Amino acid sequence: MEKKDFYYDLPQELIAQEPLADRSASRLMCIDKKTGEFSHKHFYDIVDLINPGDCLILNDTKVIPARLYGYKEDTGGAIEFLLLHKHSLDIWEVILKPGRRAKPGTVFVFGDGKLKAKILEVINDGNRLVRFIYDGVFENILDELGEMPLPHYITKKLEDKDRYQTVYAKNSGSAAAPTAGLHFTNELLEKIKAKGVNIGYVTLHVGLGTFRPVKADNIEEHKMHSEFYILPQETAELVNKTKESGKRVISVGTTATRTLETAGQNGMPIKAGTGWTDIFIYPGKEFHVIDALITNFHLPESTLIMLVSALAGRENVLNAYNEAVREKYRFFSFGDAMFIS
């Protein structure tokens, strides 16, 4: 199967540049994964589309303000850091722009010296390992100096950092938001619970590999990025109980899906655990755990649209996407949503 099989034409003006004032007011396209039939609703209607006994699995990762702007200590040359993940205390893997200035031993300064970073070594893909030097609490300093690492297709400055954060974000570590969850409000989650739907949480720290384009024409040659996940015991038990009772496991987002399907690669029941996953789901791959998916609209030829196509069928998905373009849905991170059931 080729990359071009997942292309669709998207007008630039349909890429959402900011979130709606009301998270749950986004539009919601509902797709029957067997027939391909779709209908148009709003996200707050999701409470009517899930049933008592179903379980909703959310990714509670929290985005860190991972983009830092500073300068080279000895020359004053400008630098941009993008924090990917922490290797150990004060040592992080980062992407630098421009990278050629960052040889081992080089020191960069942020916030008039509140934070410094020393390059330790050059690693895979030209990324760097750096040691941060500071007084105080690193998270507080990062919150003060850092900016949210919005995707490249969002060019408008985000005024409120919390809008690129789910209302249930808990465990810090992501370089990008699990955007399907951005549509939920606390009030909507309470309505869902009151209906008898069970809610469970996983953690998968979203890396920038999420936005890395597929370069290989044959998608099976694409090497997937790795991301760290945590599947708690109580969530594993909830998922197993839901499956045993014949109810649906509904995943919120591709990241929660990848976590659950990593745990389910050897079949049911799933077991709790932590680790790194590089699972790549595309048409032809089987789903062992999830029955339905809440997700956003994804980039053409991306691994995310391939995952969605594996669940609902490539032709069904592309038909729905083309309909969403005709109906002027809002696309990508701050855009509208889709429910595949």
Side-chain angles (χ1 to χ4, degrees):
M1 192 165 284
E2 296 189 355
K3 177 178 67 174
K4 66 181 181 182
D5 295 331
F6 299 90
Y7 178 80
Y8 67 94
D9 190 29
L10 179 68
Q12 189 78 14
E13 62 268 21
L14 296 185
I15 300 175
Q17 292 297 309
E18 58 187 351
L20 297 180
D22 178 0
R23 290 174 182 259
S24 65
S26 298
R27 297 171 76 183
L28 179 68
M29 178 179 280
C30 302
I31 302 180
D32 185 313
K33 64 185 179 184
K34 293 182 180 178
T35 67
E37 294 179 358
F38 48 78
S39 59
H40 305 284
K41 298 183 182 296
H42 287 90
F43 196 82
Y44 48 70
D45 295 319
I46 196 71
V47 71
D48 300 318
L49 303 174
I50 49 184
N51 305 317
D54 288 344
C55 76
L56 203 61
I57 304 299
L58 309 172
N59 181 6
D60 66 4
T61 188
K62 189 173 184 178
V63 186
I64 59 174
R67 182 169 276 125
L68 290 165
Y69 294 97
Y71 58 89
K72 192 176 178 184
E73 188 175 53
D74 57 354
T75 66
I79 195 74
E80 175 186 336
F81 270 38
L82 194 58
L83 281 61
L84 294 182
H85 59 263
K86 182 163 67 174
H87 280 234
S88 58
L89 184 63
D90 295 334
I91 296 178
W92 285 74
E93 180 177 345
V94 302
I95 294 175
L96 280 71
K97 292 182 182 178
R100 66 181 182 277
R101 299 180 181 176
K103 297 177 181 178
T106 306
V107 176
F108 294 94
V109 180
F110 307 91
D112 296 325
K114 286 185 179 180
L115 182 67
K116 293 186 178 183
K118 183 176 182 180
I119 306 299
L120 300 180
E121 62 178 293
V122 181
I123 56 175
N124 56 301
D125 296 328
N127 297 346
R128 266 66 170 177
L129 278 187
V130 307
R131 182 189 302 279
F132 283 107
I133 304 159
Y134 55 92
D135 290 322
V137 179
F138 179 74
E139 288 75 14
N140 293 345
I141 294 171
L142 189 62
D143 193 53
E144 178 186 349
L145 302 180
E147 294 185 6
M148 281 300 193
L150 296 179
H152 61 87
Y153 48 74
I154 296 177
T155 57
K156 188 169 183 177
K157 183 176 175 62
L158 182 65
E159 298 300 330
D160 181 0
K161 286 183 180 181
D162 286 341
R163 292 310 309 272
Y164 194 58
Q165 207 80 267
T166 63
V167 297
Y168 47 82
K170 179 181 178 183
N171 296 313
S172 295
S174 271
T179 54
L182 295 178
H183 304 282
F184 287 95
T185 63
N186 287 317
E187 293 76 14
L188 185 57
L189 288 170
E190 288 303 316
K191 287 182 180 180
I192 290 169
K193 290 178 186 176
K195 189 174 181 179
V197 176
N198 299 301
I199 296 180
Y201 297 91
V202 298
T203 303
L204 183 138
H205 293 318
V206 188
L208 292 182
T210 293
F211 305 107
R212 184 175 296 160
V214 176
K215 295 181 179 179
D217 290 332
N218 179 354
I219 66 171
E220 294 182 27
E221 296 174 4
H222 176 69
K223 181 172 174 54
M224 197 70 174
H225 57 286
S226 292
E227 293 166 318
F228 183 76
Y229 74 91
I230 303 169
L231 175 60
Q233 181 65 36
E234 60 185 337
T235 302
E237 291 175 357
L238 172 60
V239 168
N240 292 331
K241 180 181 176 182
T242 303
K243 299 292 281 188
E244 289 167 5
S245 66
K247 300 296 184 177
R248 295 180 300 173
V249 175
I250 304 170
S251 176
V252 177
T254 58
T255 58
T257 299
R258 294 179 68 235
T259 302
L260 293 174
E261 293 300 327
T262 295
Q265 287 182 97
N266 296 319
M268 300 296 294
I270 62 171
K271 295 180 180 179
T274 65
W276 293 84
T277 179
D278 60 357
I279 189 172
F280 181 19
I281 302 173
Y282 53 88
K285 299 286 186 178
E286 292 186 13
F287 287 85
H288 299 285
V289 183
I290 75 161
D291 302 291
L293 170 64
I294 296 169
T295 188
N296 276 18
F297 290 88
H298 303 296
L299 277 74
E301 301 182 339
S302 65
T303 61
L304 305 181
I305 195 173
M306 293 171 190
L307 183 152
V308 172
S309 297
L311 182 63
R314 185 184 68 87
E315 290 188 8
N316 291 342
V317 167
L318 289 179
N319 286 340
Y321 270 56
N322 288 327
E323 171 71 4
V325 169
R326 285 191 293 270
E327 291 294 322
K328 300 192 183 310
Y329 271 63
R330 302 167 72 249
F331 278 69
F332 305 162
S333 295
F334 287 141
D336 295 317
M338 176 182 284
F339 180 45
I340 302 172
S341 62

